[in-house]
Each structure stands twice: as structure tokens, then as C-alpha cells.
Amino acid sequence: IVTATGVFIYVTQKDRHPGEQRDFDPEKKTIVVLGSGWGATSMLKSLDTEDYNVVVISPRNYFLFTPLLPSVAIGTLDSRSIIQPTRYITRHKSRRVYVYEAEAQEVDPKNKTVTFADNSPVKGGVSSTTIPYDYLVYAVGAETQTFGIPGVREHACFMKELHDAEKLRTTIMDCIESAAFKDQSDDEIDRLLHCVVVGGGPTGVELSGELHDFLKEDLENWYPDIAPRLRITLIEALPNVLPTFSRELIKYTESTFKENKIDVMTKTMVKEIKEKSVTVQNATGERVEIPFGAIVWAAGNVGRPITRKLMEHFPEHQTNKRGITVDDFLRMKGADGIFAVGDCTATSYAPTAQVASQEGTYLARLFGQIAKKEKLEKRLADLRSGPHTDETAREIENVVKQINKASKLRPFHYSHQGSLAYIGSEKAIADLPFLNGNFASGGVATYLFWRSAYLSNLFSLRNRFLVINDWLKVKIFGRDVSR
Ligand code: NAD
């Protein structure tokens, strides 16, 4: 541990800081990046800032490792362990990257500008401004889909941002303490101890599994009188949970949930959420009211209003309601200089972290190639305007060849590495595209694989260190049950 800590401190100390980086170069083109999620962060990590000025605008000044968000909701992991400040990522660059914690309000694709506003509650004198871009990396993600169902926004917790996970944890602890209140009525205890998760996609399934662990491993010890009455219900509109996973893994998940007493209600559609109950419609069309203490809404995502506004500028090219249509090189169709990655796009790929991250890395490489081509074109122009000798003629020929090579852009190609999901009680499922077929696996070995895969995917040594530390802490002391 001492050695590991030593290496860790040494590596951290070696990093650059903004004061040691070169500043903007007015000769270079400016890339404005909107977002700090999977797509934007992967792009930033791989981008060579030698060739560009870079500005990042995002409502949060950090990257959030979303796959581990359910673990924060039940206190296995600390919030700080799965985030990485964007400035930690950009400090490795040779040229300074400007990071603004702000909300992009409008993109003007004609004048190539972005207007953004300070989104912090403590505002200074200047709180809104507009800047120009040469290239825009549009990576704003998506927001939670509510389908306009009454009461969702008012009464349900989402599972998208760090504050959603923190809010759910507080709500669960509030429900438990109120249920444990002296002389609480039986009906109220049952209501308060009922946790409902809406949406049987990977988010809802992982969260249900984690909630089960919290109940079994901790709450039963600390609240022995009421904990046996704690219930988890997962509601899904389709005939089964995890529609994108294989049949075998769906069955495995459903049987594990049955063993763990997680009630799965399929073919059941949520119609309304009130303060203390949810109205559902089951397969026979009957409406039932289910009381709850805490409810989580994990029913999928939809494009953000700013994305719809941007798409309206290109009515001919941008007609897909799911999001931005891009070409094979991730360029927004119809626009000049806009590249779009991640959940804000409508592609043939699922809107996952894996896709966004590969798109980001691809884009960084593409920018490298664009910069190389531009440099060569400048060199060619210089050669052509200079004295004409045999040597310059040879060099011109050579540069033209290089320009032709640099002009051949390789289209984006997604390489699926498989899907993993944690389902509770130290079990996980994995759909892995091994060899020619799909290799499906579930169980404890898969759980260890899940842990190591997530660890290696964490964006920094610092995050890995913090997450391992949290896992060890929970193994030794259990989860913290304070509010
Ligand atoms: P999702 O869209 O995959 O699932 C949402 C589910 O909610 C759907 O099955 C839908 O039928 C259901 N639903 C919608 N409205 C409902 C209603 N009114 N009543 C009942 N059920 C309703 O959403 P997600 O799970 O948040 O995942 C989003 C994306 O992120 C997906 O592409 C997913 O693959 C990816 N993801 C992957 C992982 C993983 O691989 N471990 C984890 C989280 C998210």
C-alpha cells in the first residue's frame, strides 16, 4: 500500500497545471466542446491540443462515471470516487484548455457561435456570453424521458446525475427512519418501506440489484424490526426486463430477482405518480394504485431542447426525432463544422457509454488528421507562391501526395466489446461477442469480471484508487446508514 500510494503521489505531482501550459494561439482554429460526459471526455483525452485552441462548456465541471451511479445511491461508493474534474484531464495538454462551467443555451450554426450562461447559483457580474467556433463538438447527451406522464418530475427520483443518486440515498434513509418512528401505523410502515423502480432497462435492473444488497447486507442488521418488511418492485412496460440482452441472461436475471424477492411487474405501464402512490395499468388494462415510500424513474432518455433547437436549423437533413443525424465521419448532416457524438445523436448504435467513448476517441484522431491536412495545404500554398525550381517542383509533388493521403478520412467504426450489468447479491451478467457468436455468462465469476472491467474503464488512477478503497471500506465496516 505504501508503495502504491508513493507511485500514486509521484504520478499526481508530475502533472502539468494551467499556469505551465501555453496559452491560446490566434493562428490556430478553435474547437468548442459542449459537454463533459463520455463522448466529450474521451475526445478531450485523446486530442492533441498542439494544433487547436480548445474551449469546453458544460453545466458540470467534471466527468461522471455513470455505470457506477447506482452504487452511489446505496452508499457503496462515495460520490467523489466516480467523478473526475475536467481540468484534471485537460492539465495534461501542452496548450491550455479553457473550461467553463456553464449551460450552452444556443448554437448559431450560420455565424458559428455558441451562447452560454453561468449555471451556478452564485453569479458574478457577467453571466452570459457568446463565442465563435471553427469546429463544434456537440456532445450534450440526453435527458430523462418522462413521456409527459403526470407527477414524474415532481415525485420521482431520476438516475442520471450525481445529485440524483445522492437524493435517492437521502430519500431511502428518510423513509426508513420515518418507518421506524415510534408507533408508526402498519400501513404506513409498509408504504414507506416500499421502493419502486420504473424501467427494466439496464439502469433499473442494476439499481434494483444494488437496493437489494443494501437491504440484505446492512439494513437488516441496523433495523431488524422493520427491515423484513422492506420491498423492492421493478415495473416494466414490455414483456420482459433487459430487452437488449440475450434470452438466457434475461431468464437468469429474472430468476435471481425472484430469489432476492424483488417483485418484477412486466407488461405494466406507469400512468401517473402521486406523492405517495403510483398508478399502473397492467396487461389486462386494469388500473391499480401502488403505495410507495421512494420511487425511481429509469424509463429511458430523450434529446435535450437545445438539440431540437439546433436541428430546426436544418429541416431538410435533420428529420430523425431520436436525435442528430451524422454522416460516417460524425459530422452533423447539413451543418458546417459541427461534429456530434454520444446520446444526442441518432445512429444505428445503442446510446451507450461505450459507443460515445469510441466516437470521442475517433473524433480526436480525425481532428489530428484534419490539422495535418491543413498544415500541408499551407505548406503547398507557400511553395507555390515561392521561386519555381526543380527542387520545389519535387517538393510540391511530394506535398500533394501527402495531402491526398491525409484527405482519405476513415469512417467511424464501432467495435462492440460486450454488455455487462450488475444484478445484486454479487452476481452480474455479461453478453460478450466472443469469437463468432455471443458468449453469455452470469454469476459470481462474472461479478468479479464486472468489477475488474469497470475498474479498468475508470478514467484515472485516482478514481481506481478511490473506488477500491470504498469497496474495501464496505467489506470491513459495512455501508454507512446515516442520513
Ligand atoms: P432503457 O431505455 O434501456 O430502458 C427503459 C425501460 O423503461 C424500457 O424497457 C421501457 O420499456 C421502460 N418504460 C418506459 N416507460 C415506461 C412506463 N411508463 N412504465 C413502465 N416502464 C416503462 O433506459 P436505461 O436503462 O436508462 O438505459 C439507457 C441506455 O444506457 C441504454 O442504451 C442502455 O443499454 C445503456 N445502459 C447500459 C448499462 C449497462 O450496460 N450496464 C447500464 C445503464 C445504461
Side-chain angles (χ1 to χ4, degrees), residues 136-275:
L136 180 72
V137 175
Y138 194 82
V140 303
E143 62 181 26
T144 307
Q145 168 75 287
T146 65
F147 303 99
I149 295 172
V152 174
R153 255 178 223 291
E154 296 79 359
H155 307 299
C157 287
F158 292 161
M159 196 41 57
K160 189 123 187 59
E161 300 290 341
L162 202 55
H163 57 82
D164 295 329
E166 286 166 348
K167 181 177 158 199
L168 179 61
R169 210 191 106 72
T170 313
T171 308
I172 291 171
M173 289 320 299
D174 281 345
C175 285
I176 290 166
E177 288 299 347
S178 294
F181 194 80
K182 190 170 172 354
D183 301 331
Q184 190 63 272
S185 75
D186 274 353
D187 280 356
E188 272 300 86
I189 294 177
D190 285 337
R191 178 184 72 79
L192 288 162
L193 296 183
H194 188 203
C195 208
V196 173
V197 178
V198 185
T203 307
V205 164
E206 291 195 312
L207 186 71
S208 306
E210 298 259 13
L211 283 170
H212 163 268
D213 291 358
F214 190 30
L215 162 68
K216 275 283 151 208
E217 294 164 15
D218 304 271
L219 299 176
E220 280 192 357
N221 294 332
W222 295 108
Y223 301 86
D225 305 335
I226 56 165
R229 292 165 72 170
L230 252 155
R231 286 179 307 132
I232 301 162
T233 301
L234 177 62
I235 301 177
E236 167 56 52
L238 299 175
N240 56 268
V241 297
L242 297 176
T244 53
F245 279 76
S246 71
R247 194 67 240 147
E248 194 186 324
L249 292 175
I250 292 171
K251 268 199 181 145
Y252 183 78
T253 306
E254 287 179 346
S255 72
T256 305
F257 275 17
K258 203 166 183 185
E259 266 168 43
N260 292 345
K261 303 210 168 41
I262 297 172
D263 197 5
V264 181
M265 296 172 74
T266 50
K267 297 186 191 161
T268 306
M269 177 90 88
V270 168
K271 291 289 179 187
E272 186 179 358
I273 301 181
K274 294 189 194 128
E275 194 188 348

Side-chain angles (χ1 to χ4, degrees), residues 25-73:
D25 180 346
E27 297 288 305
K28 308 263 179 209
K29 289 202 166 155
T30 300
I31 301 177
V32 173
V33 183
L34 299 188
S36 57
W38 283 96
T41 307
S42 306
M43 203 285 295
L44 275 176
K45 266 198 110 173
S46 309
L47 184 72
D48 185 352
T49 54
E50 203 45 53
D51 298 319
Y52 297 100
N53 299 315
V54 183
V55 179
V56 183
I57 300 165
S58 176
R60 49 171 211 231
N61 69 354
Y62 56 83
F63 166 75
L64 169 66
F65 190 81
T66 42
L68 286 172
L69 201 54
S71 300
V72 172

Side-chain angles (χ1 to χ4, degrees), residues 76-77 81 91 111 117 164 170 224 227 229-230 247 252 265 270 285 338 341 353 355 396 417 421 433 437 443 462 471:
T76 308
L77 298 179
S81 305
R91 72 180 167 174
N111 296 311
D164 295 329
T170 313
R229 292 165 72 170
L230 252 155
R247 194 67 240 147
Y252 183 78
M265 296 172 74
V270 168
I338 302 182
V341 293
V355 171
I396 286 174
Q417 307 292 309
R462 173 182 158 275
W471 282 341

